[in-house]
Amino acid sequence: MFPQEVSIVEVGPRDGLQNEKSTLTADQKIKLIELLSNTGLKRIEAGSFVSPKWVPQMANSDDVFKALNIQHGIQYSALTPNLRGLEAAIEAGVREVAVFGAASESFSQKNINCSISESLSRFEAVFEMAEKHDIKVRGYVSCVMGCPYEGDISPEAVTKVSKSLIDMGCYEVSLGDTIGVGTPRATRLLLENVLKEVDVSKLAAHFHDTYGQALVNLYTAMEYGVSTVDSAVAGLGGCPYARGASGNVATEDVLYMLNGMGVSTGIDMNKLLVASSYISDILGRPPVSKAANALLTR
Ligand code: HMG
Ligand code: MG
């Protein structure tokens, strides 16, 4: 059941940078994305088309996409919460987008200013236009193992939203442990429920590492056959609407584990470390990745 191949979705340029105090220039982001493109990564989430008042760090996403040297065989994607975002993304040349919902009503309100069911209705227009333009749509479900406002979230609530997103047209749903509170037991309960309704080939794991549990939770998810993993170079990340949420699990840590297990990803660690050092230098701190720090000081 454990996958022999894992597809890593690099979300650092979006999930990571959206939560940094300083906003990178479009040129700095492009350089980071190009360094990541040299590593063997095939999927990179490069920005989001959301309100600049809500997330100023992503305001230059259109400049990033317009000037990006799109490399053959790499899918560069962006978040689009509504039709307005999708229109801007199409204008900037984006070919894959993601809608993002939540399994928690309070988080949905804080993050996208509407209820879960309102969010699904908003997404309908996004799906319709994306289909016309032959654009793939990914879906996120936030708070799959806990919510900063409501606490525990039932696996059933996650399954319901995940299934709706798949039925509406998402080719894949990424399960977000937004505040990194999950443990292997919670991961098992979650997957046992979600897998009743959604095929494992359509699931991705998107775990933040706030409590240091992301890697072991990913391992648990992989035992259920999940073979798509979201992670962020240098462990960048967080969510502006989830106080205390720290970064995504670091891509370097995931890669170190998978390399050691003989699971193939197609990613070159040394090239990944170049991207990790680049962004860490800009941010003026070491990578939030044990593997990166160990390898860089060897
Ligand atoms: P709203 O206020 O309900 O929407 O916000 P609105 O339609 O009334 O528009 C309000 C203002 O935003 C207007 O501007 C619109 O023009 C503008 P104003 O008249 O005030 O000057 N606007 C936009 N501008 C640019 N692009 C757009 C857009 N739409 C409206 N697409 C909205 C609703 C969704 C827009 C807002 O709540 C928003 O932008 N939220 C962003 C939330 C966000 O990006 N959160 C972080 C990403 S999610 C995440 O990190 C979790 C994830 O990683 C998974 C996990 O870890 O769990 C994915
Ligand atoms: Mg996230």
Side-chain angles (χ1 to χ4, degrees):
M1 194 68 173
F2 206 93
Q4 304 207 311
E5 238 177 81
V6 160
S7 165
I8 294 188
V9 182
E10 171 58 50
V11 297
R14 191 281 302 174
D15 203 342
L17 298 183
Q18 78 179 9
N19 210 32
E20 289 299 329
K21 284 192 188 74
S22 50
T23 300
L24 267 68
T25 64
D27 283 348
Q28 289 172 319
K29 290 182 179 180
I30 289 167
K31 172 83 180 163
L32 172 65
I33 296 163
E34 291 184 348
L35 289 174
L36 291 167
S37 301
N38 293 339
T39 62
L41 277 158
K42 292 281 173 276
R43 300 175 66 182
I44 302 175
E45 200 171 68
S48 48
F49 292 83
V50 299
S51 161
K53 286 190 187 143
W54 286 61
V55 187
Q57 295 91 332
M58 289 290 115
N60 54 7
S61 290
D62 58 343
D63 297 334
V64 170
F65 273 96
K66 281 178 182 160
L68 191 64
N69 179 16
I70 300 285
Q71 286 198 23
H72 184 69
I74 301 182
Q75 188 69 261
Y76 301 91
S77 59
L79 297 192
T80 55
N82 53 19
L83 203 50
R84 162 112 188 249
L86 178 61
E87 283 165 354
I90 292 173
E91 164 78 22
V94 179
R95 301 299 306 152
E96 176 178 329
V97 299
V99 293
F100 47 107
S104 148
E105 283 296 351
S106 316
F107 187 82
S108 183
Q109 288 291 350
K110 299 269 187 201
N111 193 37
I112 49 175
N113 206 22
C114 63
S115 69
I116 296 173
S117 71
E118 280 164 354
S119 73
L120 295 175
S121 330
R122 279 186 195 177
F123 299 158
E124 265 168 29
V126 174
F127 284 110
E128 214 172 285
M129 182 180 266
E131 199 181 354
K132 275 195 204 132
H133 289 261
D134 203 18
I135 285 173
K136 287 169 82 177
V137 184
R138 186 183 211 220
Y140 279 101
V141 181
S142 282
C143 300
V144 299
M145 292 196 263
C147 165
Y149 312 104
E150 292 182 16
D152 289 346
I153 294 293
S154 74
E156 288 77 13
V158 180
T159 302
K160 193 170 164 213
V161 184
S162 303
K163 177 154 181 4
S164 300
L165 288 173
I166 293 287
D167 290 347
M168 288 171 79
C170 285
Y171 76 93
E172 178 177 279
V173 164
S174 182
L175 300 172
D177 185 8
T178 318
I179 51 170
V181 288
T183 57
R185 179 172 179 270
T187 308
R188 274 201 295 275
L189 293 173
L190 173 71
L191 284 168
E192 273 164 23
N193 204 287
V194 177
L195 288 172
K196 288 182 196 162
E197 298 287 352
V198 181
D199 192 82
V200 72
S201 63
K202 296 192 167 164
L203 288 180
H206 176 107
F207 297 162
H208 287 257
D209 201 27
T210 323
Y211 291 83
Q213 305 293 299
L215 212 51
V216 71
N217 292 343
L218 281 180
Y219 184 91
T220 306
M222 289 179 213
E223 284 188 320
Y224 282 84
V226 172
S227 63
T228 301
V229 169
D230 298 359
S231 60
V233 65
L236 302 171
C239 175
Y241 297 99
R243 195 149 47 91
S246 70
N248 294 94
V249 65
T251 309
E252 301 91 310
D253 291 350
V254 176
L255 184 61
Y256 183 86
M257 177 176 85
L258 295 176
N259 282 348
M261 294 172 69
V263 175
S264 77
T265 59
I267 300 168
D268 181 306
M269 179 65 95
N270 288 328
K271 291 180 177 166
L272 184 61
L273 290 173
V274 174
S276 181
S277 301
Y278 171 76
I279 188 61
S280 300
D281 284 350
I282 290 181
L283 297 173
R285 58 162 194 252
V288 186
S289 157
K290 293 213 169 181
N293 286 309
L295 292 167
L296 286 167
T297 51
R298 219 166 39 182

